[in-house]
């Protein structure tokens, strides 16, 4: 005689598997993050890759020649208050 | 050849608790030259996991959260792409934590990290506010934030702007683009020092003033406010900075210099008048009247921060239970006392109070390897503010307190307008690098009473080579150290410029003193000599 499947049990098993999967994923993410932390991989990435790229970008940026700006000393009124 | 016997019990103990001080060999964790870690320190299971979850991960997550809440990721990305001082500096911020907290354990690790968290949050607030308001990042458009932000020199105390703080925000021009960068990545600032020298400024004025001007020479300052309030930052070189800022910013400017003489009722009167004139200027520029109630509310909140600071000092002075290391204490204190009242300081103080109370009630000796209780005097090297952490790990030199922390030891009265203005004028005059650095012999020699008060037996005397003010009293200190029989090390440096006296040279000077004068052995010999010349 065939056993009838119980809907509740099957749903429970599915949920259980999902929870286990999520727990596994969380553990994996934790282990990966801990490896990044412990072996200073964030520092190594920033030092060896990100910073050199950014420095190259900043070194080659077009910049306004601020020395060409006139020094408008009389542009604004002088502030005199009678406190 | 006999095999070396492995002590399993000791291995297990080291794994669980971390190696005891003296066996850690922290210097062997560094990669040569870069200061990067071969691997981060194993502090035992509990403290390593605390560092991983509650410091490293927590701060990365909250940095992202802060950026999302304060201006959003687009403004942040634009800012990083446009301004060297943010892109090159603030991405490796967790390494700044690492350097400050090497070798720390237990409550010391926790309390010091909360101080760093406060500074990171406030730093993000400031640069994100700059970017949200910045016309350079928004196609020249003056946004609502631009109209509602006030710019000022970093040594104009944030409290000056309290009366408008319910409708406006204030951001110091240099605190984030200059001051904090030097601590986090000491290489960024060199671009700005070189820039200002490239237009003809000689190399011998204070490099702080040079760097602050260099930001403008390289057009690396956001345009985030309609007007500016400047000060002389308590030295003559900074007056020249203000002139360059006036030229390059080309905005309505109110100059509110700290008087070079103080402790004088006439100067006090003059200073009160200048603050009132400044308030009038702000009223005129913003069209919003001075709000006394708002000023009182904010001052009372700031007074709460000061009250807790005094409680911390009490514990530091009289017990071995103080859980904050030298660098965290120094940076946090000067940051908030100059920046002014912000919610994050109260949040962090609440966390630190719990830890402090735990240490006192359980009598936890927080720095058990202390050989000398050190007071650090004058202005510190910004590129090596974490020397205190190194000095404790290597020599057992425990920095209990420093000059910058003690400068603003005052609560501001709010019972009457007259009292309030009087105290605000005093606070303004006691600017950083002012009261106890170039503020006259009486204040400079407050070292002796503070040494006694904090129960210190050793002085680390900072010697800013390009500060003309302090150089004049070098000999007086020498005489006093001799006559009082106080061990003191002169630490030469050039404030932000790590090229003049390197970190390695500073370590060598301390090592020499500790071996030849004090005849002591290092706690961790691996830290005596290492090359971190390329390190952040």
């Amino acid at each position: 005689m065939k056993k009838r499947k119980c809907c509740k049990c099957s749903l429970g098993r599915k949920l259980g598997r999902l929870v286990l999967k999520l727990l596994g994923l969380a553990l994996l993410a934790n282990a990966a993050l801990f490896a990044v932390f412990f072996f200073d991989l964030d520092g190594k990435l920033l030092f060896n890759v990100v910073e050199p790229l950014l420095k190259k970008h900043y070194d080659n940026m077009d910049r306004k020649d601020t020395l060409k700006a006139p020094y408008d000393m009389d542009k604004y009124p002088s502030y005199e208050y009678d406190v | 050849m006999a095999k070396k016997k492995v002590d399993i019990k000791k291995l297990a103990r080291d794994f669980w608790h971390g190696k005891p001080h003296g066996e850690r060999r922290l210097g062997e964790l560094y990669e040569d030259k870069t200061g990067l870690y071969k691997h981060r320190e194993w502090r035992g299971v509990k403290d390593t996991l605390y560092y991983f979850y509650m410091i490293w991960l927590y701060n990365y997550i909250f940095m992202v959260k802060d950026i999302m809440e304060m201006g959003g990721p687009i403004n942040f990305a634009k800012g990083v792409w446009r301004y060297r001082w943010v892109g090159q500096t603030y991405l490796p911020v967790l390494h700044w934590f690492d350097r400050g907290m090497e070798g720390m354990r237990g409550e010391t690790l926790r309390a010091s990290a909360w101080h760093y968290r406060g500074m990171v949050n406030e730093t993000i607030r400031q640069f994100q506010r700059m970017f949200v308001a910045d016309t350079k990042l928004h196609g020249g458009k003056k946004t609502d934030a631009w109209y509602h932000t006030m710019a000022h020199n970093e040594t104009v105390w944030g409290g000056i702007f309290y009366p408008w703080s319910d409708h406006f925000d204030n951001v110091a021009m240099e605190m984030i683009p200059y001051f904090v960068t030097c601590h986090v990545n000491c290489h960024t600032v060199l671009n700005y020092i070189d820039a200002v020298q490239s237009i003809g400024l000689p190399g011998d004025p204070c490099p702080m003033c040079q760097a602050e001007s260099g930001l403008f020479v390289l057009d690396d300052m956001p345009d985030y406010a309609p007007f500016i309030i400047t000060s002389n930052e308590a030295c003559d070189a900074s007056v020249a900075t203000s002139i360059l800022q006036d030229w390059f910013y080309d905005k309505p400017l109110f100059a509110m210099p700290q008087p070079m003489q103080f402790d004088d009722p006439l100067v006090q009167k003059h200073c009160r008048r200048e603050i009132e004139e400044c308030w009038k200027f702000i009223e005129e520029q913003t069209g919003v009247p001075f709000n006394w109630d708002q000023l009182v509310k904010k001052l009372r909140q700031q007074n709460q921060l000061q009250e807790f600071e005094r409680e911390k000092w009490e514990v530091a002075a009289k017990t071995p239970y103080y859980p904050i290391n030298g660098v965290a204490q120094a940076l946090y204190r000067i940051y908030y006392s100059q920046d002014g009242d912000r919610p994050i300081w109260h949040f962090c103080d609440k966390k630190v109070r719990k830890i402090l109370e735990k240490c006192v009630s359980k009598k936890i000796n927080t720095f058990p390897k202390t050989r000398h209780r050190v007071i650090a005097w004058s202005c510190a090297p910004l590129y090596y503010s974490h020397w205190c952490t190194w000095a404790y790990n290597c020599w057992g030199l425990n920095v209990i307190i420093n000059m910058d922390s003690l400068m603003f030891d005052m609560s501001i009265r709010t019972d009457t307008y007259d009292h309030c203005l009087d105290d605000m004028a005093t606070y303004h005059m006691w600017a950083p690098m002012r009261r106890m650095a170039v503020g006259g012999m009486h204040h400079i020699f407050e070292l002796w009473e503070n040494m006694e008060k904090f129960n210190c037996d050793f002085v680390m005397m900072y010697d800013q080579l390009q500060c003309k003010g302090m150089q004049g009293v070098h000999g007086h200190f020498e005489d006093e150290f001799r006559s009082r029989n106080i061990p003191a090390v002169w630490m030469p440096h050039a404030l932000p410029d790590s090229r003049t006296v390197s970190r390695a040279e500073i370590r060598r000077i301390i090592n020499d003193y500790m071996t030849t004068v004090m005849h002591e052995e290092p706690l961790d010999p691996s830290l005596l000599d290492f090359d971190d010349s390329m390190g952040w």
Side-chain angles (χ1 to χ4, degrees), chain B residues 376-394:
Chain B
W377 209 248
S378 193
C379 303
L382 307 185
Y383 57 93
Y384 202 18
S385 44
H386 59 286
W387 74 268
C388 336
T389 303
W390 168 83
Y392 176 71
N393 288 327
C394 187

Side-chain angles (χ1 to χ4, degrees), chain B residues 148-180:
Chain B
H148 286 87
T149 310
M150 305 187 218
H152 55 94
N153 275 151
E154 62 178 338
T155 53
V156 175
W157 163 45
I160 298 291
F161 308 95
Y162 285 164
W164 290 269
S165 57
D166 50 348
H167 291 103
F168 290 79
D169 210 346
N170 65 290
V171 180
M173 287 186 285
E174 310 93 348
M175 191 178 271
I176 308 307
Y178 157 71
F179 178 74
V180 183

